[in-house]
Amino acid sequence: MEATTIGGLVTVASAGPALDGIVFDAPSRSKVVVAVVDPNRGPMFRTVPPSALTEREQEGPQDTALRLLIRRTAPPMHGAARDAVAGRKGRAGFNRGSTHRPTGR
């Protein structure tokens, strides 16, 4: 599959049986996060290469469960947004952890 669109209906053909899924995120050109229903574990996210995806036209019986999983999951953050949260330098307040506190001698 050449271009993956967020929310697109796909079939995942990786190791094991082919599963119906919905594209949740495409963090890079080499991986796509897809919501699928695992027969043993239920609805979950799986990261697969784009070559393992094929587009499908019709809605499947598990699509409502997949849409509920996507709805209750926080949206993915990319690039500058991720760095802004992780970058703690220059933050006001307590920059270091507390030192060792002796119990008394």
Side-chain angles (χ1 to χ4, degrees), residues 47-100:
T47 304
V48 296
S51 60
L53 301 178
T54 55
E55 196 170 349
R56 64 184 168 102
E57 300 295 325
Q58 296 181 352
E59 296 265 334
Q62 293 104 355
D63 284 344
T64 55
L66 296 177
R67 291 193 197 286
L68 290 174
L69 174 67
I70 290 171
R71 183 185 301 168
R72 71 176 175 252
T73 304
M77 294 179 8
H78 297 286
R82 183 181 304 140
D83 293 338
V85 172
R88 300 288 183 180
K89 291 186 179 183
R91 187 179 99 183
F94 301 102
N95 292 347
R96 297 183 182 182
S98 61
T99 60
H100 175 71

